[in-house]
Amino acid sequence: MIKITAEQLSAYSLAENAAHDMAVRVNKIAASCPAPDCWHSISKEILEPDHPFDVHKFLYNTCFKDWNRELGPPPAWIPDANSSQITNIEKLMAELKIDCYRNFHKWSASNRADFWETMIKRLKIPFRKKYKSVMNLSAGPETPLWLDGAELNIADACFLGADSGTAIIYQPEGEDVSKTTYKELELLCNRVANGLVNLNYGPGDAIACYMPMTMESVAIYLGIVKAGCAVVSIADSFAPDEVRKRLQIANTKGVFTQDFIMRADKCIPLYEKIVEANGPKAIVLPCGKEMKTNLRDMDATWHEFLSDNDKFMSVGRSPGSCTNILFSSGTTGDPKAIPWTQTTPIKCAVDGYLHHDIRPNDVVAWPTNLGWMMGPWLIYASLINRGTIALYYGAPTGREFTKFVQDARVNMLGVIPSLVKAWRNTNCIAGLDWSSIRAFSSTGECSNTDDMLFLMASAGYKPIIEYCGGTEIGGGYITGTVVQPSAPSTFSTPALGLDFVVLDEKGEETDNGEVFLKPPSIGLSNELLNMDHHEVYYKDVPVLKDGALLRRHGDQIECLSGGYYRAHGRADDTMNLGGIKVSSAEIERTLNHIKGISETAAIAVTDQEDGPEKLVVYVVSMPGVELNLDQLKQLAHDELKKHLNPLFKIHDMIIVKSLPRTASNKVMRRALRAAYTENL
């Protein structure tokens, strides 16, 4: 049984009277409850978002100080019996007469054709011509044929919401919130599709979208798909050389872009990068009310392009036809060009429906871009589920975005962990009402436990769906649910309809190793446009004892007790320190707890061929904090000794202002390793 004092709470900047009252109430609850029930009551009945976060953290850690981790990681959110019954998962389990979630996942992975057909019917995916079979494995699980014999256009599934329902709620930086209905969005998509036809673009043509995530870019995206063409996704942060590379790989015939984009009152050129990249015919939207640049003779303004005809019958396509060409980050060479088919969006929508519990009229926000898979994912997961996309046009790091979340009454908020860290450092959520949020989701990089607890506390304790997958999956392979307890920075399940194994270097199953997926699944890629798909994902992959085919993915996952998992980044970011394997993410997660540290990046270097690996740590301090390097290095050694292994020694520590990141915000450890090695 726990017992706290007012003095303990006062140490965390809680006023004396408030500390005394809270201590009395907490001790009363703790006297009669086991740890999970105790925390559930404290988090729901006593703690408020405006209490100092250190108070939240202290009470959470105190509740679970004697927690038996054989039961799993300590939960920060536990589903309520009444509310869980109205979740999408619980409703479907009841209809299928499946008694618990673990059995539901087992059924979905063992009966994949039945699972995907169930979901296709549940989402009411429209077909021009019905499929003969959901899953044809005549060519083997490496190259399945989904929805064999069908004809459809997946964009049609995005307009099943009520005509008057809100499809998009959006706010340009410094302006008011606006709304677009499903009918208005569909009519604009039709005008885009007719505009493409007027320019003689036809089915299969690749049309790039090099734009920020706006209401118009969503209409453009779906209009391209409606016309039977394929969207070429290019992040608006890319420089001309990277833009040129992607345009060429996709054999792009046209491109939509803006003259400029606004970021924190700065006007950043966009169209001129297309010109410098020698891009094809461009359709250019103005950032504001008027165009601020002169166009090439072959290019056209948005208003010149847009057709007046707002009626368009979408072009029927085969299930395997390309709708979107997306790219990996390409930090070590040419990016992989990954085609999404007509079926990939079904994976997005199913993950949104089941794992993120998106319901009709739910408002879904996820700061992202069409250049990355979460942009298209947001479109399909929201609209196919009859929800509302929430878009803020400015930077998501400041107060105006967090207030937009409040004003838009967001129900599901997606984040990347570094964004949460920025919110925590600047306290830009303080005083806002995020009570409309029913769930968070986090993806893109390994998360920090304290940051995720802070995020949960900011909305009165709501679950975080940790979500990890990839562009070549169309969604996640490992995730969480709203029907299982949520522990910060952990996953609770393989994605429904999928499964995986964790293997060591010998190909044996292990509790901490590299992930290999068990195909097939809707969403998994069958080809790459510029690389050998078999070589990338299947060549030299271990075979299970039962002969089952495995697919390489490359993440390192640790299996925890209670059926939970923790991500440790990419398997190729694993290092060998004194004969002991450890991931960069494990070291970083440990060191990020040190007071004054904002984030770290751990790399391994050698000063001679085949020499031992040495640990180098890059450190970014909290804003306004001056770090003493010698003291910090000793603190870091102590943390590694206490929490990981006493044999781990830091060879070098470097304090930097920021870490190098890809355009999708992933830390570029390879760049740090290369820069450090050059200076040896």
Side-chain angles (χ1 to χ4, degrees):
M1 184 180 76
I2 70 169
K3 187 172 181 62
I4 65 168
T5 66
E7 288 74 18
Q8 287 175 307
L9 294 172
S10 296
Y12 298 110
S13 303
L14 203 62
E16 185 176 341
N17 289 341
H20 179 269
D21 178 63
M22 184 178 289
V24 170
R25 296 175 67 194
V26 166
N27 290 331
K28 183 177 181 180
I29 291 171
S32 59
C33 293
D37 293 339
C38 177
W39 172 249
H40 179 75
S41 296
I42 290 171
S43 64
K44 293 298 182 183
E45 299 171 15
I46 297 177
L47 286 170
E48 300 289 345
D50 59 356
H51 284 136
F53 174 64
D54 283 345
V55 172
H56 290 259
K57 182 180 173 182
F58 167 71
L59 290 175
Y60 174 72
N61 289 335
T62 301
C63 276
F64 291 106
K65 66 177 182 177
D66 298 321
W67 177 250
N68 180 5
R69 291 183 179 264
E70 292 297 315
L71 301 175
W77 176 86
I78 300 168
D80 178 83
N82 293 326
S83 61
S84 66
Q85 291 177 0
I86 62 173
T87 63
N88 290 331
I89 283 180
E90 287 282 357
K91 288 179 179 178
L92 183 54
M93 284 171 52
E95 291 180 20
L96 295 171
K97 295 181 172 56
I98 297 176
D99 58 353
C100 72
Y101 177 79
R102 296 295 179 193
N103 287 340
F104 183 33
H105 174 263
K106 184 178 180 180
W107 173 82
S108 76
S110 302
N111 302 275
R112 301 199 186 192
D114 291 342
F115 169 77
W116 288 108
E117 184 164 35
T118 296
M119 295 312 304
I120 286 165
K121 290 179 177 178
R122 197 164 190 84
L123 296 176
K124 297 181 171 60
I125 303 297
F127 292 90
R128 300 288 175 77
K129 184 179 178 183
K130 190 70 184 298
Y131 49 83
K132 292 181 290 188
S133 65
V134 171
M135 184 176 73
N136 182 336
L137 297 182
S138 59
E142 184 177 336
T143 52
L145 183 60
W146 294 101
L147 308 182
D148 186 15
E151 182 181 296
L152 74 160
N153 189 302
I154 197 60
D156 294 339
C158 294
F159 298 104
L160 301 179
D163 285 354
S164 60
T166 303
I168 305 176
I169 181 169
Y170 59 97
Q171 182 181 5
E173 197 171 53
E175 298 183 21
D176 295 331
V177 173
S178 299
K179 296 180 180 181
T180 296
T181 67
Y182 268 83
K183 190 61 178 179
E184 289 168 339
L185 179 62
E186 183 175 22
L187 295 178
L188 184 55
C189 291
N190 291 343
R191 295 176 68 189
V192 171
N194 281 312
L196 292 170
V197 171
N198 292 341
L199 290 177
N200 296 316
Y201 292 121
D205 285 343
I207 311 294
C209 204
Y210 181 56
M211 291 182 63
M213 196 78 174
T214 64
M215 185 276 289
E216 288 82 5
S217 66
V218 173
I220 289 166
Y221 182 96
L222 292 174
I224 293 172
V225 175
K226 263 200 158 192
C229 302
V231 180
V232 180
S233 292
I234 304 178
D236 61 18
S237 56
F238 277 133
D241 284 348
E242 293 299 319
V243 173
R244 180 186 299 111
K245 185 185 298 182
R246 286 158 176 77
L247 292 173
Q248 290 174 349
I249 290 173
N251 189 26
T252 309
K253 303 293 180 64
V255 57
F256 287 89
T257 189
Q258 281 186 186
D259 54 356
F260 296 88
I261 54 176
M262 294 297 297
R263 287 292 183 271
D265 296 325
K266 293 182 180 179
C267 204
I268 303 170
L270 203 61
Y271 167 71
E272 73 176 35
K273 295 180 184 179
I274 291 293
V275 175
E276 191 174 339
N278 195 28
K281 181 180 180 66
I283 309 302
V284 187
L285 287 76
C287 179
K289 293 181 180 179
E290 297 180 357
M291 190 74 66
K292 297 184 180 71
T293 189
N294 295 321
L295 305 185
R296 300 175 300 184
D297 290 342
M298 68 176 182
D299 298 332
T301 68
W302 171 244
H303 295 294
E304 291 169 341
F305 158 80
L306 204 58
S307 171
D308 292 331
N309 184 0
D310 60 12
K311 293 180 175 55
F312 187 85
M313 174 67 74
S314 63
V315 177
R317 303 283 280 156
S318 66
S321 65
C322 182
T323 59
N324 195 174
I325 300 167
L326 296 107
F327 298 89
S328 63
S329 57
T331 55
T332 58
D334 281 350
K336 297 193 294 286
I338 303 163
W340 278 19
T341 69
Q342 296 282 340
T343 65
T344 315
I346 297 173
K347 167 65 173 171
C348 304
V350 168
D351 280 5
Y353 180 88
L354 293 172
H355 292 291
H356 298 84
D357 198 41
I358 299 174
R359 309 172 193 173
N361 304 314
D362 273 358
V363 179
V364 184
W366 206 314
T368 184
N369 186 276
L370 286 176
W372 309 112
M373 65 154 283
M374 292 312 299
W377 186 98
L378 177 64
I379 293 173
Y380 291 121
S382 302
L383 298 184
I384 293 179
N385 286 305
R386 285 77 157 169
T388 299
I389 304 170
L391 302 176
Y392 177 72
Y393 293 2
T397 51
R399 179 73 173 187
E400 192 166 336
F401 173 80
T402 57
K403 187 174 183 300
F404 170 72
V405 171
Q406 169 190 270
D407 296 344
R409 305 297 295 166
V410 169
N411 304 115
M412 205 293 290
L413 175 60
V415 300
I416 55 172
S418 57
L419 181 57
V420 179
K421 186 177 294 293
W423 292 342
R424 185 180 169 196
N425 288 344
T426 60
N427 202 29
C428 65
I429 305 176
L432 295 175
D433 178 6
W434 276 15
S435 60
S436 62
I437 292 175
R438 204 168 62 246
F440 296 98
S441 189
S442 174
T443 194
E445 55 190 352
C446 297
S447 61
N448 174 283
T449 301
D450 284 357
D451 289 342
M452 293 298 107
L453 186 66
F454 163 81
L455 184 63
M456 298 171 86
S458 68
Y461 287 94
K462 304 297 171 58
I464 296 176
I465 308 302
E466 290 282 349
Y467 188 56
C468 183
T471 307
E472 69 278 21
I473 297 175
Y477 72 87
I478 187 170
T479 180
T481 72
V482 295
V483 299
Q484 298 169 287
S486 175
S489 301
T490 64
F491 304 84
S492 59
T493 177
L496 288 159
L498 256 181
D499 210 352
F500 61 79
V501 292
V502 179
L503 304 179
D504 61 19
E505 292 175 330
K506 298 178 182 179
E508 300 291 332
E509 292 198 42
T510 181
D511 288 338
N512 194 338
E514 185 174 348
V515 160
F516 292 85
L517 307 182
K518 294 182 178 180
S521 170
I522 282 182
L524 291 180
S525 61
N526 285 347
E527 64 172 328
L528 298 172
L529 299 186
N530 59 339
M531 297 181 189
D532 186 316
H533 190 272
H534 174 82
E535 186 171 330
V536 171
Y537 295 111
Y538 292 99
K539 185 178 179 181
D540 299 327
V541 166
V543 177
L544 293 181
K545 293 177 182 179
D546 62 4
L549 179 73
L550 296 178
R551 173 181 168 127
R552 181 182 294 108
H553 186 67
D555 286 346
Q556 183 179 351
I557 292 291
E558 178 184 2
C559 305
L560 307 174
S561 298
Y564 285 76
Y565 307 86
R566 177 169 284 123
H568 293 304
R570 299 296 293 173
D572 52 11
D573 279 327
T574 298
M575 57 188 80
N576 189 321
L577 302 178
I580 300 168
K581 285 256 184 178
V582 63
S583 71
S584 296
E586 287 176 278
I587 292 173
E588 292 158 9
R589 188 180 282 118
T590 299
L591 299 184
N592 287 345
H593 286 290
I594 296 174
K595 188 175 182 179
I597 286 181
S598 174
E599 59 180 340
T600 57
I603 61 170
V605 300
T606 57
D607 51 16
Q608 57 187 4
E609 188 173 352
D610 297 326
E613 293 186 343
K614 299 177 180 179
L615 174 60
V616 175
V617 178
Y618 287 82
V619 178
V620 179
S621 66
M622 292 280 192
V625 174
E626 290 288 335
L627 297 174
N628 180 290
L629 186 58
D630 291 336
Q631 292 178 359
L632 183 62
K633 193 171 181 180
Q634 185 58 54
L635 278 172
H637 273 133
D638 293 344
E639 287 296 301
L640 293 179
K641 179 180 179 179
K642 180 180 179 181
H643 297 289
L644 286 183
N645 195 298
L647 298 178
F648 293 166
K649 305 296 182 185
I650 298 175
H651 171 69
D652 198 3
M653 178 174 279
I654 303 162
I655 298 175
V656 294
K657 291 183 178 180
S658 62
L659 299 176
R661 293 180 178 272
T662 67
S664 59
N665 210 55
K666 295 178 181 178
V667 174
M668 298 171 65
R669 295 184 186 87
R670 290 184 183 87
L672 291 172
R673 194 178 298 118
Y676 189 90
T677 304
E678 283 180 10
N679 294 322
L680 287 177

